[in-house]
Amino acid sequence: MTRSIGSVLGSFRLRLVLGYALVAVLLAGVWAWSLYGPLTQWATDQQRTGLTEVAKVGALTLSQGSGTPAQRAASLARSTGLRITIIASDGTVLADSASDASAMQNHATRPEVAAALHGRVGYAVRRSATLGTQYAYVAAPATLQGVKTVFRVSEPLAEIEGIASQARGAGLALLLVALVLAAGVGWWLSLTAARPLARLQTAAETMAAGDLSSPLPSAPGELGELAQSLTTLRDTMRATIGELEAGQATLRAVLDGLQDAVFLIEADDVVLANRAAGALFHEPASGWRGTPLAAAGLPTSLEIAVRDRLGCETACSGEVGPDPEARYFRVTEVPLGPGAEGARTLVVISDVTSVRRLDQVRRDFVANASHELKTPASAIQLLADAADTAASDDDMPQALVFVGQMKDEAERLRRLVLDLLDLSRLDSVPTPGTITDVRAAATNALAAHRAAASDAGLRLALDLSAVVESDVYAAAEPTDVAVALDNLLANAIAYTAHGGVTVRLAADEHDVTVSVTDTGIGIPAEHLPRVFERFYRVDAARTRVSGGTGLGLSLVRNAAERAGGTVSIESSVGRGTTVTLRLPRTV
Ligand code: ADP
């Protein structure tokens, strides 16, 4: 995506070095060029002046001396160190110090010779046809033994070229030195400039990697402004990320605080789930996020309902169940529009099993209560009709029997209604802070049932040995405790033919316990788990004889639970039953 810091700085350095080198080479080149031209020109001018002087003096010397032209040319060449040529006025070369004159061409057309033949000093530079090298020529008019001739001196340009090449060499050396110096300076400057850049780049990469707490380096000049901008960017990012995280944490806390499972489904994948989702269903080992709906472990019926969006186009809800664990769920689905991967749906699932059960319990209770009320009510009606008929037939004894039975049924009805009223009261919220003296409550309950026990020929005893000299107060409503003890004693007396009933009080640091033990018929083990249910009877016929309503033990349980206590039962068929009421103790 981005080039590495090394490559960025590398090219930066290279460009800096190359830039410096180019500038240095240009400057050195211009300087060398501006020196090289005038220097070469000066050397050429010097040579021309020197040759002209020698040509003039040589022309004078030629007219005065004696000897053949060849001798004169050789002698002058020796004394000047130059090449000397003597040319006749028709252009014939009379003598040349550097070669055989007879082999040389006619020189009349040579520019310098032509100028000298016209009485001027001529100058020319060209390649010598005779010697094959570049020469500078100067020719001057002269006379030899009274005859008009041309005296020419010439010198190879090699010397000047030497000077020029020296200048070139110096220029090149200068260029090289400038190049090396420029590269060095460029390199050093790039190193100095790159160091803060590299630090800033490292800081930017650290930020990009998510670390927004490391300090940012300072830098000089414009880089300082860049560092400042980076700091501002970092602070803004930190603040924005902080706000986003806080928002997300709040949303998460809200979601996790919900009792209902919440899923966000995109296409057919879970993209978000709250804590309750994990509690209601088994969270996949890899977490919910990204898990396909089919692999999320939802009960099949629920999975289908969620996948099919409950068959709705808009927000809607429905009930699904039971699942293999006999649970019922209320599912609400809200379409949230398209996401990156597909349509998104918010799914809220609540476990309504207990609500369902409660509904069922209520329905059952109403049906049972109606049935229980209907039985004595119908009996009273029938007995009234029968008594009426007997009275019409003047059969008063029979009529009185029916009236007596009517009274029994009316009593049964009264007890049932009283039990139902107790039940409804025990369903309400208890009054906080109420206290019951359990010793007094037990004493009163025993007093109320003493006559019934005595009628049945049973002993009735109160065992307080475990609570001698200690107060036994329970955090419970006195009416609740009275209802519980009343029902326990009524049962114990009703289901005991011989022996007796003992009420025992005990207390520890936390609880007060009241146990009612009888020596009665007992309850078969398979019925024990259900005896606290409303209207549950072990033996309907026997219960009817005993006058029980089937609500006694459920009233006891409600009274115990209302006070935050418990009730338990132990029984052995033919030997007796013990019911223990445990209530929270208070001072
Ligand atoms: P009921 O008012 O009909 O006695 P309960 O709810 O008090 O109803 O008791 C439920 C059933 O438990 C009764 O039908 C009875 O068969 C049995 N039961 C309760 N207490 C005793 C006991 N002390 N001994 C034997 N059976 C009992």
Side-chain angles (χ1 to χ4, degrees):
M1 184 180 70
T2 51
R3 287 193 296 162
S4 75
I5 181 168
S7 71
V8 169
L9 291 179
S11 74
F12 168 70
R13 270 180 213 159
L14 191 69
R15 274 181 298 178
L16 202 66
V17 169
L18 285 179
Y20 267 94
L22 191 67
V23 169
V25 165
L26 276 175
L27 284 178
V30 166
W31 187 64
W33 184 251
S34 64
L35 267 184
Y36 177 74
L39 193 69
T40 312
Q41 189 57 49
W42 175 81
T44 309
D45 289 350
Q46 282 296 105
Q47 188 187 44
R48 183 178 179 166
T49 310
L51 286 177
T52 305
E53 289 303 314
V54 171
K56 282 180 182 170
V57 173
L60 273 178
T61 312
L62 193 65
S63 61
Q64 288 161 8
S66 58
T68 64
Q71 289 169 336
R72 302 296 300 277
S75 135
L76 281 168
R78 263 195 312 278
S79 59
T80 59
L82 299 168
R83 179 185 168 197
I84 306 292
T85 312
I86 300 169
I87 302 150
S89 57
D90 61 354
T92 309
V93 179
L94 298 174
D96 188 275
S97 62
S99 60
D100 179 10
S102 58
M104 292 172 67
Q105 298 167 340
N106 187 296
H107 274 39
T109 55
R110 301 287 197 272
E112 74 282 1
V113 175
L117 287 175
H118 284 92
R120 297 191 307 274
V121 175
Y123 174 75
V125 173
R126 69 170 177 280
R127 189 174 188 80
S128 163
T130 315
L131 299 172
T133 51
Q134 199 76 358
Y135 265 78
Y137 298 95
V138 174
T143 48
L144 178 65
Q145 293 158 0
V147 182
K148 193 178 167 192
T149 53
V150 173
F151 183 82
R152 190 181 78 170
V153 290
S154 56
E155 189 180 38
L157 280 181
E159 208 172 306
I160 291 172
E161 276 170 0
I163 291 172
S165 84
Q166 256 182 18
R168 250 196 323 269
L172 274 177
L174 185 73
L175 268 181
L176 210 65
V177 170
L179 203 66
V180 170
L181 268 178
V185 168
W187 186 254
W188 178 78
L189 276 178
S190 72
L191 270 184
T192 322
R195 221 170 282 138
L197 246 187
R199 282 203 299 268
L200 283 178
Q201 169 119 9
T202 309
E205 282 175 351
T206 311
M207 275 169 62
D211 178 2
L212 297 179
S213 54
S214 299
L216 283 162
S218 56
E222 285 96 339
L223 286 181
E225 287 171 27
L226 179 61
Q228 188 52 46
S229 302
L230 269 181
T231 309
T232 312
L233 175 68
R234 195 262 321 262
D235 292 346
T236 312
M237 276 171 71
R238 206 154 50 180
T240 311
I241 289 173
E243 280 170 24
L244 282 176
E245 281 177 347
Q248 223 172 24
T250 308
L251 191 66
R252 189 76 231 178
V254 167
L255 278 179
D256 284 343
L258 292 174
Q259 295 286 308
D260 299 336
V262 178
F263 290 100
L264 181 62
I265 310 284
E266 192 165 310
D268 270 338
D269 289 349
V270 177
V271 292
L272 187 144
N274 68 345
R275 195 175 294 156
L280 267 185
F281 311 106
H282 299 293
E283 184 172 348
S286 55
W288 293 108
R289 200 180 169 77
T291 304
L293 204 51
L298 300 184
T300 313
S301 53
L302 201 56
E303 184 199 318
I304 292 170
V306 171
R307 192 178 325 110
D308 296 350
R309 308 289 183 261
L310 291 168
C312 303
E313 296 285 308
T314 53
C316 64
S317 61
E319 210 169 291
V320 177
D323 72 347
E325 292 173 46
R327 295 183 298 178
Y328 290 84
F329 302 99
R330 168 147 288 275
V331 185
T332 303
E333 304 211 9
V334 183
L336 293 183
E341 302 295 328
R344 291 180 309 161
T345 311
L346 181 69
V347 181
V348 182
I349 302 173
S350 17
D351 185 350
V352 292
T353 314
S354 56
V355 179
R356 267 257 182 163
R357 272 196 203 125
L358 210 62
D359 270 357
Q360 190 58 43
V361 167
R362 286 219 171 93
R363 273 198 296 274
D364 291 350
F365 176 73
V366 170
N368 285 335
S370 310
H371 177 74
E372 294 293 332
L373 288 169
K374 201 181 92 188
T375 312
S378 304
I380 289 171
Q381 192 181 9
L382 287 174
L383 288 167
D385 285 345
D388 192 28
T389 310
S392 314
D393 294 345
D394 284 333
D395 187 354
M396 288 314 283
Q398 186 57 48
L400 286 174
V401 171
F402 289 141
V403 169
Q405 286 174 346
M406 273 170 65
K407 277 173 68 183
D408 287 347
E409 290 302 331
E411 172 58 19
R412 207 161 108 80
L413 201 58
R414 189 185 70 86
R415 271 205 307 275
L416 196 59
V417 170
L418 286 179
D419 278 358
L420 285 173
L421 285 174
D422 277 339
L423 210 54
S424 131
R425 194 184 59 78
L426 287 169
D427 271 344
S428 66
V429 181
T431 314
T434 48
I435 292 173
T436 300
D437 180 350
V438 184
R439 190 199 308 266
T443 310
N444 291 342
L446 250 76
H449 287 271
R450 199 163 291 285
S454 140
D455 289 351
L458 300 174
R459 279 179 285 103
L460 194 56
L462 178 60
D463 180 358
L464 298 172
S465 56
V467 291
V468 179
E469 293 179 7
S470 62
D471 293 330
V472 255
Y473 290 103
E477 283 196 31
T479 320
D480 294 3
V481 180
V483 166
L485 291 179
D486 181 46
N487 279 287
L488 289 179
L489 279 170
N491 279 352
I493 294 167
Y495 300 110
T496 304
H498 311 286
V501 176
T502 308
V503 178
R504 273 190 198 84
L505 257 63
D508 61 17
E509 196 187 341
H510 305 290
D511 298 312
V512 176
T513 52
V514 189
S515 58
V516 180
T517 304
D518 61 54
T519 54
I521 57 171
I523 302 170
E526 68 269 22
H527 291 282
L528 284 177
R530 299 197 60 191
V531 287
F532 291 104
E533 289 176 19
R534 289 168 183 181
F535 299 112
Y536 187 82
R537 297 181 176 97
V538 174
D539 180 344
R542 184 184 290 272
T543 306
R544 188 163 175 77
V545 172
S546 75
T549 59
L551 288 173
L553 284 180
S554 67
L555 283 171
V556 176
R557 188 186 61 183
N558 277 26
E561 287 178 353
R562 196 162 181 252
T566 57
V567 64
S568 58
I569 188 164
E570 286 171 60
S571 189
S572 167
V573 176
R575 302 180 73 172
T577 303
T578 298
V579 184
T580 305
L581 182 65
R582 185 177 289 275
L583 297 169
R585 188 175 187 186
T586 186
V587 283

